[in-house]
Amino acid sequence: MADGAGEESNKLLTTAGAGDGGGGGEGKGSQKMASPPVEPAGHEGFVQPSSYLRRPRGQSRAMPPPPPKLEAAVDRDQRRGLQSIRAFLKVRTSYDVLPLSFRLIVFDTSLLVKKSLAILNQNGIVSAPLWDSKTSTFAGLLTTSDYINVIQYYCLHPEEMSRIDQFRLNSLRAIEKDINVTPIETVSIHPLRPLYEACRRMLESRARRIPLVDIDDETRRAMVVSVVTQYRILKFVAVNVVETQLLRKPLRHLNLGTYKSLETAKMETPVLEVIQQLVHQNISSVPILNSDGVVVNVFEAVDVIALIKGSVYEELNLSVGEALQKRSDDFPGIYTCSIDDRLDTIFDTIRKSRVHRFVVIDEGNRLVGMLTLSDILEYVLLEGEGDDHKQA
């Protein structure tokens, strides 16, 4: 009996699973289940192709994510090169940039302006830290901008010419107020702070050099150690960071340099007119072109020092061509590049030569743009900086 009952039960289950409950009393009271479609003979286990096209009800169609954009090899190398330079600047101090042996000339603020000019010319330098002996404190940095301010004062007050020789360095701030010039922010940094920090301070203040100021262990007063320039920093990078060779993108593909609204002059242009261009545009040089637009020279702000040495301000009435003849014999020359030159070759030139700017020219030596060390330093520090944090 037990075997018979089990056999009958199996029949019922099989019948219900097959969906064949047509009229049989055995199917009453049981839950009716949906019957799957009967597959044709010889196709058992196959799925109909149309089932791949159907999606379950209530499920929205999701668009597949776009494939990630592949980074070109030249872009990847450029990014790696910039990251390596920044990492180097963050582990090196400002003190590391200084040569083993160097001299430092510091001017007391009570020194006559004309004597400071003579000292700069004698020593072949264009700037010097200032020291206030009355308060024993660092008082800023004397640069060519200060002498240009004196020239502007002379132009506005020609009747004061006899008094200019009596101006002292501590009167330069008063001259700035008189000619309504915004004073250059005085920034400094401790020599053991990271070099990266010094570079950022230079960019923020638009300064081309920054004094290193320490604290004397005995007197606990400020002490000027040296002055670091953009050129010295970039040369330090070019000599010590081999990854500068990865910067193989040409200038035309970089947001680097100035190529619009360029200030220019001719050899016949009066020097005073060029000085006004330097002041109004807050630039350090003006390309000199001939009638065909070909670059023949560059007038730099430092050329002003050679003109007014000995307080001979009448030299300012000369033309640019006459003024450039008064340059010293050790003038490093004018450096040019093309829009297709790469940044690695620019760094190689900085490593080998004393260069402060590049004149960008075409095949016919016509002016295309200007590339300064400030431009290069800003690019090295800021280009893609946000990407560095994302990948850190």
Side-chain angles (χ1 to χ4, degrees):
M1 287 297 295
D3 292 338
E7 182 178 355
E8 185 66 18
S9 175
N10 287 338
K11 288 181 180 179
L12 289 174
L13 290 174
T14 302
T15 303
D20 187 9
E26 296 86 352
K28 291 182 179 180
S30 63
Q31 185 176 357
K32 188 174 182 180
M33 301 178 64
S35 302
V38 179
E39 298 175 352
H43 292 276
E44 294 81 355
F46 283 86
V47 180
Q48 297 182 10
S50 62
S51 65
Y52 287 112
L53 304 178
R54 293 193 294 267
R55 63 181 184 275
R57 292 180 180 178
Q59 180 176 343
S60 60
R61 183 186 301 272
M63 296 296 294
K69 186 178 180 180
L70 297 178
E71 186 179 27
V74 66
D75 294 326
R76 182 175 62 252
D77 288 346
Q78 192 84 4
R79 175 174 53 80
R80 287 176 51 202
L82 294 175
Q83 290 174 342
S84 297
I85 294 174
R86 291 167 191 158
F88 175 79
L89 293 174
K90 291 177 181 179
V91 298
R92 293 289 186 167
T93 67
S94 301
Y95 190 81
D96 294 333
V97 182
L98 302 180
L100 295 177
S101 177
F102 64 91
R103 63 179 178 178
L104 176 66
I105 297 177
V106 180
F107 289 156
D108 192 284
T109 54
S110 62
L111 185 69
L112 291 173
V113 171
K114 68 175 183 179
K115 287 188 176 181
S116 68
L117 274 169
I119 296 173
L120 292 181
N121 277 285
Q122 290 171 4
N123 291 274
I125 57 178
V126 296
S127 67
L130 297 176
W131 183 261
D132 190 336
S133 57
K134 292 182 179 180
T135 59
S136 296
T137 57
F138 168 67
L141 194 66
L142 179 69
T143 68
T144 53
S145 297
D146 294 302
Y147 296 109
I148 290 178
N149 290 340
V150 174
I151 293 173
Q152 288 184 280
Y153 182 87
Y154 159 70
C155 295
L156 292 174
H157 307 285
E159 71 280 359
E160 297 288 327
M161 183 62 191
S162 59
R163 292 186 57 241
I164 289 183
D165 283 348
Q166 304 304 316
F167 284 167
R168 297 185 182 274
L169 296 179
N170 53 19
S171 64
L172 293 176
R173 302 291 83 87
I175 292 177
E176 289 175 344
K177 293 180 180 180
D178 186 275
I179 63 176
N180 196 27
V181 171
T182 302
I184 298 176
E185 182 182 358
T186 299
V187 295
S188 62
I189 193 169
H190 191 278
L192 295 183
R193 296 298 302 166
L195 192 54
Y196 181 86
E197 184 178 331
C199 295
R200 292 301 296 256
R201 289 194 186 183
M202 294 171 70
L203 289 181
E204 292 167 0
S205 63
R206 297 183 61 85
R208 299 179 181 91
R209 50 182 56 81
I210 184 169
L212 306 183
V213 180
D214 200 352
I215 301 298
D216 187 270
D217 293 334
E218 296 181 358
T219 64
R220 306 307 302 170
R221 292 181 176 178
M223 174 181 61
V224 182
V225 176
S226 186
V227 177
V228 174
T229 63
Q230 292 177 341
Y231 165 70
R232 188 172 291 279
I233 292 174
L234 291 175
K235 182 171 183 177
F236 187 63
V237 169
V239 170
N240 294 282
V241 183
V242 297
E243 285 83 0
T244 55
Q245 300 173 6
L246 297 176
L247 306 176
R248 295 192 291 268
K249 296 185 72 172
L251 293 180
R252 69 166 60 249
H253 295 155
L254 303 176
N255 184 22
L256 186 57
T258 303
Y259 302 92
K260 296 180 180 179
S261 303
L262 295 170
E263 293 289 327
T264 62
K266 299 183 180 300
M267 282 294 196
E268 301 78 22
T269 305
V271 169
L272 281 175
E273 184 176 322
V274 178
I275 290 177
Q276 293 301 318
Q277 291 175 281
L278 296 174
V279 172
H280 293 155
Q281 300 300 324
N282 193 25
I283 54 180
S284 60
S285 64
V286 174
I288 310 302
L289 314 180
N290 65 11
S291 57
D292 297 323
V294 173
V295 178
V296 294
N297 215 316
V298 174
F299 186 90
E300 303 177 354
V302 295
D303 290 321
V304 172
I305 296 180
L307 290 178
I308 60 176
K309 63 180 179 180
S311 298
V312 184
Y313 291 88
E314 288 78 7
E315 299 283 359
L316 297 172
N317 296 320
L318 298 176
S319 66
V320 168
E322 294 170 326
L324 293 180
Q325 294 178 0
K326 296 183 176 294
R327 278 175 170 165
S328 62
D329 295 334
D330 62 347
F331 179 72
I334 305 300
Y335 288 84
T336 63
C337 66
S338 75
I339 198 70
D340 293 313
D341 279 332
R342 307 180 315 195
L343 197 52
D344 61 338
T345 62
I346 299 293
F347 267 103
D348 192 50
T349 303
I350 294 174
R351 179 177 61 85
K352 297 176 181 178
S353 308
R354 184 162 60 96
V355 54
H356 298 287
R357 65 188 53 81
F358 294 86
V359 183
V360 186
I361 58 176
D362 62 12
E363 296 83 356
N365 293 329
R366 288 180 293 272
L367 180 66
V368 174
M370 294 292 291
L371 177 64
T372 67
L373 298 189
S374 298
D375 296 329
I376 299 174
L377 189 63
E378 181 176 0
Y379 175 82
V380 166
L381 261 65
L382 303 183
E383 177 65 24
E385 185 183 29
D387 298 336
D388 293 353
H389 297 303
K390 293 178 182 179
Q391 299 177 11

